[in-house]
Amino acid sequence: MKVLKIDHIGIAVKDLSESLNFYSEILGLEAIGTEVVPEQKVKVAFLPCGDSEIELLESTVPDGPINKFIEKRGEGIQHIALRVDNIDEALKILKEKGIRLIDEKPRYGAGGARIAFLHPRATKGVLIELTEREKQD
Ligand code: ZN
């Protein structure tokens, strides 16, 4: 199992277009397309930032995971995504080591990535997403 880099940082927001005003117009980051991911009940925008990206996530339903997060903790950093070379192998190894997983199998993530979340109880309170992308840039 090899962690290659911080793929992106996921930020929960109430209003994606309003947040893009700040990240794009004020900070000057360029959003490379928005996408609705029905599997996760989110609308996302990715903003490349050096070697990694910022992912803004807005809930598409009132009781989605992002809105639940915002209700509890307010807008802010929701997860950190680590890119791995082989997500199937990584999940197998973590499971063998007794690490609690939210996703035992990879699922579809924005941009065609394969992703899986680890349980925050197993990671000192941080929701960690593993991500594998076909293009390892
Ligand atoms: Zn993410």
Side-chain angles (χ1 to χ4, degrees), residues 8 10 46 55 79 81 117 129:
H8 63 269
F46 279 93
E55 175 185 30
H79 67 270
F117 286 95
E129 172 189 334

Side-chain angles (χ1 to χ4, degrees), residues 92-121:
K92 185 168 167 275
I93 289 169
L94 291 169
K95 202 179 170 188
E96 280 168 7
K97 290 184 175 173
I99 303 300
R100 195 164 154 195
L101 307 171
I102 292 176
D103 303 302
E104 303 232 333
K105 289 198 175 116
R107 51 178 159 136
Y108 177 86
R114 299 171 70 223
I115 68 164
F117 286 95
L118 313 186
H119 200 285
R121 288 234 172 92

Side-chain angles (χ1 to χ4, degrees), residues 73 119-127:
R73 300 167 67 169
H119 200 285
R121 288 234 172 92
T123 62
K124 307 293 174 197
V126 178
L127 179 59

Side-chain angles (χ1 to χ4, degrees), residues 59-70:
S59 191
T60 52
V61 291
D63 62 343
I66 291 300
N67 269 0
K68 282 187 186 151
F69 175 89
I70 291 173

